[in-house]
Amino acid sequence: TTLGLTGEGGGIEHVVDINPHKHGRFMPGSGQEIISPERAAELKPDLVIVMNPIYVPEISRQLASLGVADARVVAV
């Protein structure tokens, strides 16, 4: 990912991944903890950055189902 390649998090607090084997681990170089979508929902994010625009609708639906309908979802 861009985050891992640059070694900088740029104010990004967490990285979300649906793979449970990655939860509780940290991004190489930038150090953000990798968390589950459910844990992210508990944090009530204002902004969700998606690395691939094709996933924006799916992630938006999942966030809404987890009670995070107000988060702005953007792709890079």
Side-chain angles (χ1 to χ4, degrees), residues 25-38:
R25 297 183 182 217
F26 296 84
M27 290 295 294
S30 58
Q32 288 86 0
E33 182 179 7
I34 301 169
I35 61 174
S36 69
E38 293 77 16

Side-chain angles (χ1 to χ4, degrees), residues 40-57:
E42 292 172 7
L43 298 173
K44 302 288 186 201
D46 295 324
L47 174 65
V48 175
I49 301 169
V50 180
M51 298 306 290
N52 186 331
I54 198 164
Y55 294 113
V56 169

Side-chain angles (χ1 to χ4, degrees), residues 50 52-64 73:
V50 180
N52 186 331
I54 198 164
Y55 294 113
V56 169
E58 176 184 349
I59 291 170
S60 296
R61 285 190 302 273
Q62 185 174 23
L63 286 168
V73 181

Side-chain angles (χ1 to χ4, degrees), residues 3-24:
L3 218 104
L5 292 175
T6 64
E8 298 178 18
I12 296 172
E13 296 179 28
H14 298 92
V15 173
V16 179
D17 198 300
I18 60 172
N19 182 343
H21 299 290
K22 293 183 180 181
H23 302 162

